[in-house]
Amino acid sequence: MTMPIKTFSYNGRLLPIEQAQVPLSLVEYSYGYGVYENIRYANGILYFLADHLERLAESARVIGLEHEFTAEFVASSVRELVAAAPDHACNLKILLIGGRTAADAQLFILALNPLFPDRKLYRDGAAVITRRFERAFPHAKTLNMLQSYLAYRDAARVGAYDALLINRAGNITEGTRTNFFGIKGKTIVSPPEDEILLGVTRKAMIVAAEAAGFNLEQRDIPADSLGSYDGVFITSTSSKIVPIRSIDGDMVSENVPENLRELMRAFDEFLDSSRGEL
């Protein structure tokens, strides 16, 4: 992937991107002992930086990853990196890799080209597939992503946008890199929060939705119950809100329902007015 910014941040130091390397001998990285965040940067705005850093710290806590980087230090490192090329739109990837001690932990911050969905997905809805999988630590955004990678690869092979994960009870929990919702009238339904990664875009969408007169309910969403909703959709940092048209080749909604379009408009307006703060 082409880097729009030719430097990266390593433990708070700006270095040439060519030096962004992790040794193959680093066992902690090889075993996925690390956590990460992706932050959207556009028009000079770091979107929801404090919320991303809060989740980074929580992810590290969940898996017992000790480190010496404060939220203030990470935020300062992020801002220093984007100041190197303030006109670029990018996704900032923060990698916090654990070590044997807190002092051994390493902090990488990279600027990557954002991957935006095709505009027709917002108009027509996306195709997704399903896979059976439950993440070991739902509230931790860890580097241990093998099962999610395999599920996403399966989706890509058939031209689908993402794979939705189904737990042992037959309920949809989330996507490999997205949060999942149903919508009925003015009610948005989310899987229970203790079973999913609490996405920052999910959090922002809920704030925008409530301001627009929608309400949120948490309950199980069985994979065979989707016909009871007006529509279903996913959210993520790069995609915002993407309607789902079909799942495993079966049509969910031929047209994006008007209540979902209203929610999408409300969220776009919220992003434009929020200046990256919740």
Side-chain angles (χ1 to χ4, degrees):
M1 180 176 290
T2 303
M3 299 284 183
I5 298 178
K6 300 302 181 182
T7 57
F8 79 106
S9 178
Y10 174 68
N11 291 352
R13 292 186 297 142
L14 290 183
L15 297 171
I17 194 62
E18 292 77 16
Q19 296 182 29
Q21 302 173 1
V22 179
L24 292 175
S25 59
L26 185 63
V27 173
E28 288 80 9
Y29 184 74
S30 298
Y31 282 29
Y33 185 49
V35 296
Y36 74 101
E37 285 291 323
N38 289 317
I39 301 174
R40 181 185 176 211
Y41 176 71
N43 302 316
I45 298 173
L46 288 162
Y47 282 89
F48 316 123
L49 175 62
D51 301 274
H52 280 287
L53 297 187
E54 180 181 344
R55 188 173 63 177
L56 182 76
E58 175 62 9
S59 294
R61 185 197 66 77
V62 168
I63 66 171
L65 193 164
E66 297 182 348
H67 60 94
E68 297 180 344
F69 304 108
T70 65
E72 292 76 16
F73 179 85
V74 181
S76 176
S77 299
V78 167
R79 292 191 177 99
E80 185 179 18
L81 179 59
V82 297
D87 295 330
H88 279 292
C90 61
N91 281 346
L92 296 164
K93 185 160 194 173
I94 302 175
L95 296 174
L96 177 57
I97 303 171
R100 294 185 179 181
T101 69
D104 294 328
Q106 300 179 71
L107 178 70
F108 293 81
I109 307 173
L110 308 169
L112 307 177
N113 284 333
L115 296 175
F116 297 120
D118 191 310
R119 289 182 178 274
K120 69 180 182 181
L121 296 182
Y122 297 106
R123 183 193 67 206
D124 302 331
V128 300
I129 63 171
T130 60
R131 288 294 181 268
R132 297 270 177 175
F133 174 55
E134 297 178 35
R135 293 191 299 113
F137 302 101
H139 284 184
K141 197 174 176 74
T142 75
L143 301 185
N144 186 359
M145 293 285 288
L146 178 59
Q147 291 289 346
S148 291
Y149 172 84
L150 294 176
Y152 183 79
R153 184 186 65 178
D154 288 347
R157 283 176 171 172
V158 296
Y161 183 72
D162 198 5
L164 303 179
L165 307 180
I166 299 179
N167 64 18
R168 68 194 70 185
N171 301 317
I172 298 174
T173 54
E174 57 195 338
T176 66
R177 57 197 64 196
T178 56
N179 282 119
F180 175 76
F181 303 86
I183 187 169
K184 180 72 171 179
K186 298 288 282 190
T187 298
I188 299 167
V189 179
S190 166
E193 289 189 348
D194 60 351
E195 299 179 6
I196 62 174
L197 182 69
L198 301 178
V200 172
T201 300
R202 174 186 185 275
K203 181 179 180 180
M205 184 277 294
I206 291 170
V207 172
E210 291 178 344
F214 291 84
N215 64 288
L216 179 76
E217 292 184 4
Q218 294 182 46
R219 60 173 181 262
D220 290 335
I221 304 179
D224 60 4
S225 72
L226 301 184
S228 64
Y229 294 94
D230 298 333
V232 292
F233 63 96
I234 49 180
T235 62
S236 73
T237 294
S238 294
S239 65
K240 302 185 292 185
I241 295 175
V242 173
I244 293 176
R245 179 179 177 85
S246 66
I247 299 177
D248 291 329
D250 296 327
M251 187 66 66
V252 176
S253 179
E254 291 190 15
N255 300 295
V256 179
E258 182 53 38
N259 52 351
L260 180 50
R261 291 199 182 278
E262 179 185 350
L263 177 63
M264 293 166 69
R265 289 191 295 268
F267 188 49
D268 285 343
E269 291 170 2
F270 174 80
L271 289 177
D272 289 340
S273 63
S274 69
R275 303 299 297 172
E277 299 288 342
L278 280 176

